[in-house]
Amino acid sequence: MPKLHLLKFAGYLMEDKKGIAILGSTGSLGRQSLEVIRLNSTQFFIELLFASFNTDLLLEQAIEFKPNIVIHADELRQQELSDMLFPRGIKCFCGDKALLQSLELEGIDIVFNAISGFPGIKPTIQAIKYGKTLALANKESMVVAGNQVAKIYTEKGGSIIPVDAEHSGIFQSILGEYSNTIEKIVLTSSGGPFKGIDLSDLQNMTKKQALSNPHWKMGNKITIDSSTMINKGFEIIEASWLYNLNFSQLELLIHPESIIQSMVYFEDGSVKAQLAMHDMRIPIQYAFSFPNRIKSEFPRVDLLKTGALTFEDPDLSAYPNLKLSYLAAEKGGNLPAILNAGNEIAVQAFLTEEIKFNDIYRINDKCLNSIDYIQEPSFEDLEDTDKKTRQFAKTLIY
Ligand code: NDP
Ligand code: MG
């Protein structure tokens, strides 16, 4: 199965303003991307905004940024939203189909996909099919459907610029290295809020404790995934597809200071890494401005203040969900899709306080061991796996 090689595309000249479609504009990354655009309104404009439940915020954003089109995921909101936006000269459509069709718009140079979860996959595929530059945050696109994305990318060509901080760092480290072989890539993790706590003591950890990530302010789902460390396993799968690496070429180190997100080891013994403070506006802005950089006031790395940068091996026995994600990464097929779907249901149930912290692992493990394995899934197989796993996972909430 072909994987991706992200250096295979031409860059931009920053002469023209770039039109951006923000998918998931009401979420944590979506809102940060709007801040980047607000700060750089001479370089970027918003052509399209898309969101799901948070209608009030979507409308507020539309009124401020005056995009050409606003799309709401819910088809039932069409009349109400059109009535509000049309008099302001903004077109409005509703439903997923409308989104997929609108991504073809000529005014869109960059599609920023910051939708959370499985619903982000089809827009990723469609943006590549339309030849748009894809600034990719939705990690489920690569975790669940990396094989499909790689196939379409290989057929159509295209441009993917990763936004996930680790993958943005890798991307920046491999620029100019197109013909050089990567020996391995190391991703780092702070260890999350429960670093050093015994597995048996984790059972009583509350939602509030799990949501207190030491460095990053993110959406609730990914924050819980960081506390179970499954997020890191997903990032390893993501890196394997984006940078054409085997599972054995990807390693994880715990790095509590969280200054180095990733490191690329080359064959000659050199290692490259990109350093930045914990601020997602930096990789978002880079994805929008690539191959240029735009001056910003975002926080700077100050190694004298940070002090020593330390690294440890992860204790896999303390992170059982990470172990599951390694299994899914190694065996591939539809296992990442099963794990992703089971985990989305389990995390949602934890957030609504229907299950305890360690039940996330119980549900994920049971799903991986119960849903049929498919070695080379088609997109329809992945959709079917997702649906079946969600139904099954819901029966495990108690
Ligand atoms: P949030 O939960 O904060 O936001 C998710 C966005 O997706 C919202 O705009 C939401 O709309 C929209 N959305 C949710 N469900 C649907 C749906 N069914 N159809 C259409 N839109 C939907 O997530 P984050 O911003 O934290 O993360 C977004 C993605 O980026 C995830 O894949 C995450 O793993 C990845 N990522 C996030 C990072 C971060 O720092 N937050 C870092 C690296 C990667 P609404 O609010 O209107 O319901
Ligand atoms: Mg990350």
Side-chain angles (χ1 to χ4, degrees):
M1 178 59 63
K3 292 188 178 177
L4 305 178
H5 199 313
L6 290 186
L7 281 186
K8 207 189 79 185
F9 60 88
Y12 274 98
L13 290 173
M14 282 291 275
E15 284 161 3
D16 299 322
K17 261 184 149 183
K18 293 182 197 172
I20 306 192
I22 310 282
L23 316 187
S25 62
T26 51
S28 159
L29 287 188
R31 281 178 274 125
Q32 293 180 73
S33 73
L34 293 182
E35 213 182 311
V36 167
I37 290 169
R38 201 179 278 121
L39 292 169
N40 297 286
S41 57
T42 54
Q43 323 245 23
F44 309 117
F45 66 92
I46 296 193
E47 178 72 1
L48 182 153
L49 287 176
F50 171 73
S52 173
F53 297 106
N54 198 342
T55 311
D56 290 346
L57 181 57
L58 178 64
L59 284 171
E60 211 178 283
Q61 294 173 341
I63 289 165
E64 178 184 350
F65 288 94
K66 300 180 183 53
N68 182 11
I69 294 192
V70 166
I71 303 185
H72 192 284
D74 182 358
E75 290 182 18
L76 300 175
R77 311 297 291 263
Q78 178 73 62
Q79 194 60 50
E80 169 201 351
L81 292 173
S82 296
D83 287 350
M84 281 191 258
L85 293 171
F86 192 70
R88 296 175 186 268
I90 301 169
K91 297 183 206 89
C92 173
F93 301 103
C94 290
D96 296 341
K97 259 196 194 148
L99 171 69
L100 297 181
Q101 281 168 5
S102 305
L103 293 181
E104 194 174 12
L105 279 177
E106 217 175 296
I108 299 174
D109 298 303
I110 298 173
V111 174
F112 177 43
N113 186 352
I115 297 170
S116 58
F118 194 91
I121 300 174
K122 277 190 180 168
T124 283
I125 290 175
Q126 204 63 29
I128 299 170
K129 281 188 179 165
Y130 288 144
K132 303 296 181 186
T133 294
L134 175 67
L136 182 62
N138 172 266
K139 64 181 68 178
E140 293 79 5
S141 294
M142 302 313 297
V143 171
V144 174
N147 63 339
Q148 306 294 320
V149 175
K151 209 157 84 190
I152 291 158
Y153 180 89
T154 309
E155 281 164 20
K156 301 274 172 192
S159 317
I160 301 178
I161 306 177
V163 171
D164 208 347
E166 297 74 6
H167 306 80
S168 172
I170 298 167
F171 183 84
Q172 294 177 57
S173 297
I174 63 169
L175 286 177
E177 305 281 1
Y178 184 61
S179 55
N180 295 326
T181 303
I182 296 173
E183 196 169 75
K184 68 172 182 181
I185 284 180
V186 174
L187 301 188
T188 73
S189 162
S190 68
F194 301 145
K195 181 176 169 297
I197 297 181
D198 251 31
L199 190 55
S200 54
D201 295 331
L202 286 180
Q203 179 66 348
N204 294 320
M205 290 300 154
T206 62
K207 168 179 155 183
K208 191 169 168 222
Q209 287 168 309
L211 284 175
S212 56
N213 188 283
H215 295 300
W216 299 92
K217 274 184 84 183
M218 310 178 281
N220 283 353
K221 159 72 171 49
I222 186 174
T223 308
I224 300 299
D225 286 352
S226 301
S227 74
T228 64
M229 288 278 276
I230 204 168
N231 181 52
K232 251 342 115 173
F234 286 159
E235 289 182 348
I236 281 184
I237 301 175
E238 201 182 349
S240 122
W241 285 110
L242 288 175
Y243 299 106
N244 192 13
L245 298 169
N246 298 320
F247 177 63
S248 61
Q249 292 172 285
L250 291 153
E251 285 179 18
L252 172 62
L253 284 179
I254 302 295
H255 169 43
E257 299 79 20
S258 212
I259 296 289
I260 299 177
Q261 315 303 331
S262 48
M263 294 174 251
V264 183
Y265 283 65
F266 292 96
E267 279 189 319
D268 63 349
S270 293
V271 183
K272 283 169 86 173
Q274 172 259 1
L275 276 62
M277 290 309 285
H278 333 108
D279 190 326
M280 285 305 293
R281 292 173 304 174
I282 298 173
I284 293 171
Q285 178 172 294
Y286 180 74
F288 291 175
S289 67
F290 176 83
N292 303 305
R293 294 186 188 270
I294 300 175
K295 185 173 166 48
S296 85
E297 301 302 324
F298 302 148
R300 300 299 196 252
V301 172
D302 182 341
L303 290 174
L304 287 178
K305 276 198 189 134
T306 316
L309 300 184
T310 58
F311 299 90
E312 307 160 27
D313 255 339
D315 173 7
L316 280 187
S317 65
Y319 301 117
N321 283 289
L322 178 63
K323 256 205 251 179
L324 292 183
S325 59
Y326 279 5
L327 176 80
E330 217 167 353
K331 273 191 82 182
N334 66 339
L335 283 193
I338 297 171
L339 188 57
N340 178 67
N343 184 59
E344 278 192 27
I345 297 296
V347 170
Q348 187 53 36
F350 176 70
L351 286 169
T352 50
E353 298 177 4
E354 292 168 88
I355 59 169
K356 298 262 202 178
F357 188 76
N358 287 347
D359 291 325
I360 299 175
Y361 167 73
R362 173 178 59 79
I363 292 174
N364 288 342
D365 185 49
K366 192 82 183 152
C367 288
L368 273 185
N369 286 302
S370 306
I371 304 292
D372 289 340
Y373 176 62
I374 305 170
Q375 198 169 6
E376 291 204 7
S378 63
F379 190 71
E380 289 67 36
D381 291 330
L382 292 173
E383 284 186 307
D384 191 46
T385 298
D386 182 74
K387 205 166 139 197
K388 276 190 188 142
T389 309
R390 280 169 201 272
Q391 281 165 356
F392 179 64
K394 283 179 188 162
T395 67
L396 303 172
I397 295 171
Y398 48 79

